[in-house]
Structure formats: structure tokens, C-alpha cells
Amino acid sequence: DEQKQMIVDFVEKGDNVNLLMVLQSNGIPLPTYDFPDNLKAKAVYFVKREKTSLGKESFRSQILYGDLSNSPLEQLSALVDELLVPLLSNKRNHENWPAVVSQDVQRHVHNLKSSVFVVAGQVKGKTLLPLPVGAESFTDNDDEKAEKNLRNSIHQIEGVIIGWSHQIHDVLKRKSAQALFEGLNPEPMVEIDFWESRARNLECIFDQLRSQKVRKMAEILERTESSYFNSFKILFQDVVNALKEAREITMYLKPLKSAIESVEEAEFDQLQPRLAPVLHVLCLVWAHSTHYRMPSRIIVILQEICNLLIRLA
């Protein structure tokens, strides 16, 4: 009855301009007047244009409505890709516009699409590399047509390579010791998670750089003798080397995970026998890992183990 009254009050009174119907876990929608800070399920919103009651005849003209996703970034990405980009990129929609305005609008639309694409990847812990305008034609079956499209877009391709370079270098320069540098007290699981996450992210970047469209871009850069071709080759090699490093370190640190979890679950007076496997694995890592056999890296995980012991004490 209370929920029903909320809906009736929204329609018949002008006190509240917002009404949300939030889907609960049991499948029943729950009405509320406030937009939640953290939406955990799908919702539908109704917003009055003015603070007034709603009439039967003018209901549709007095209200705005739509749905809300529990993942707003994905909803924004879908809105941009499926509505804004097709709408504003279609030249028939701005036939009467000056050429400069039309080109400027298309450039801003593509920049918005790229920005949303990159941010959506960051939320998922991935580095996504946006492609230049017209990328869908890079793998056209008509080779001459595809090459013509690419040659017309050579400056856009070079600009994209610059952007990729900044994105990838931001990933490569991240250090597992960053939390220590910031004065925090990370524990060894932070180190293990860092290398696992780094390996996944670099794998994602590597797969994108090996895609058919990107290979076609690289071929055109080489044919046109672009100065950015060497930069692209160096960038690709940096990713390959970093991926090999991350894969190897992840493989050698994996046995350490169960040993650390055993220490975390123990009482302080029971730690001594559980520390032996941790130190044994670290010694094996030092002896066999090519990329982790560095004082700067082994010191980081030893500091993190000390932080763990201090917390347990």
C-alpha cells in the first residue's frame, strides 16, 4: 500500500518530480523518489518537466522517461556507439551544414567514442586502443579500395599511433612498488595480483596490435615510408618484451600464492612452520626466474612479507 501510494502521489501531486522503479532481487520493482548513488539492478525513471500533477491527456508531454543500467559506463558506451556516432557521422544528416562544421562535428564525435572506449577498458582493468576513423574499411576485400582509404587517412593513423604510444608507455612504466613509494603498507598478495593483472593487460594490448586492421595500418605506414613506422615497431617490441617478462614472473610467483594464504590464515604463534615454504619459494624464484632475479624486485616482496607479519602481530 505504501509503494502504491508513492506512485499515486507522484501522479496526483507536484511535490516530487522524480520517480524511479528499481528492480529488486525478487523481480518486483520498488518505487523511490531519489536517484541511488550505487544502482545494483536495472531501473526505470520518470521525470516531470514541471512541478505539477499529471493529467491523462497531457501525460506524455509532461514527463520524460527511460531506463537506467546498473553499469552506467556500459550504457553510455552503447548510447555513443549505437546512437550518437551513427546519427552524427551520417553526412545526410548535415547536408546543409558548412563543410568545416560538418568535419568538426565528426571529429568530436569520434574523439568522444574513443574516450568512452578507453575509459570503459580502464574500468575493466584493460588498455583498449581506439582505432582511427574508417577502421572498418581497413580489411575490405577490395585491396585497392582499402589501400586508398588508408592513404586518405594516413595522418589519422599517425595520430592514433601517438595516442597508443602514450597509453602503452603508461602501462609499461607502472611499478609493483608504487604503493610502497606512496607510503602505504602493501602485503605480498598485492605483488602477486599486480603481475597477474599486468600480464592480462599486456596480453590484451598484444592481441589488439596483432589484429588484422592494425597489421594493415602497419603495412601502409611502411609502404608510405612514414616516420611513425619505426616508432610502431619499437612500441610493438616493447609490448612483446614486457609480456614475456610478466608471463614469466606470474608463473614463478603462482606457487607463492598458496603459501602466503596459509600464512594469512594462521595465528601469530603458529607462523614459524608456515614461513618456511614462503622463503623456500622465494629462493626458487631467485634461482630460476630471469626477470625477477633483481635486488629491487626481491626487496619489494620481502618488505611486503614484513608488512604482513607486522599486521598479524
Side-chain angles (χ1 to χ4, degrees), residues 272-286:
Q272 188 171 356
R274 302 195 184 202
L275 279 176
V278 173
L279 297 177
H280 180 69
V281 171
L282 281 180
C283 289
L284 291 175
V285 171
W286 178 263

Side-chain angles (χ1 to χ4, degrees), residues 9 18 28 40-41 51-52 55 60 82 85 101 112 119 123 129 134 137 147-148 179 194 204 237 260:
D9 290 345
N18 301 327
I28 300 175
K40 296 182 179 179
K51 282 191 173 184
T52 182
R60 290 192 175 184
E82 298 175 17
V85 171
V101 174
L112 174 63
V119 172
V123 171
L129 307 175
S137 64
E147 184 166 336
K148 181 179 178 181
F194 170 84
C204 177
Q237 192 58 49
I260 293 295

Side-chain angles (χ1 to χ4, degrees), residues 74-210:
E74 290 184 4
Q75 187 175 25
L76 174 62
S77 180
L79 175 67
V80 171
D81 290 344
E82 298 175 17
L83 179 63
L84 292 181
V85 171
L87 185 66
L88 295 177
S89 297
N90 190 340
K91 293 183 179 181
R92 289 181 296 177
N93 292 331
H94 37 84
E95 289 178 344
N96 298 325
W97 295 2
V100 175
V101 174
S102 177
Q103 292 171 5
D104 191 52
V105 168
Q106 292 185 66
R107 180 174 60 83
H108 282 295
V109 168
H110 184 73
N111 288 342
L112 174 63
K113 178 182 177 181
S114 298
S115 298
V116 173
F117 181 69
V118 171
V119 172
Q122 290 174 342
V123 171
K124 297 176 182 178
K126 297 179 179 180
T127 299
L128 299 181
L129 307 175
L131 293 170
V133 177
E136 61 278 357
S137 64
F138 289 0
T139 55
D140 200 299
N141 292 331
D142 185 348
D143 291 339
E144 291 185 4
K145 180 180 177 182
E147 184 166 336
K148 181 179 178 181
N149 289 333
L150 279 173
R151 286 180 181 277
N152 292 335
S153 304
I154 188 68
H155 296 299
Q156 293 180 10
I157 296 172
E158 291 175 343
V160 163
I161 297 296
I162 295 172
W164 290 358
S165 177
H166 291 305
Q167 285 181 268
I168 292 172
H169 285 154
D170 284 343
V171 173
L172 297 181
K173 71 181 182 181
R174 292 174 193 162
K175 304 295 183 182
S176 63
Q178 187 61 40
L180 290 171
F181 297 153
E182 294 173 356
L184 303 177
N185 300 305
E187 297 181 1
M189 289 302 292
V190 173
E191 178 81 358
I192 297 171
D193 292 341
F194 170 84
W195 287 106
E196 289 179 350
S197 174
R198 184 179 176 88
R200 287 193 300 268
N201 193 16
L202 289 169
E203 189 83 50
C204 177
I205 295 172
F206 179 70
D207 289 341
Q208 291 175 83
L209 293 178
R210 291 180 67 249

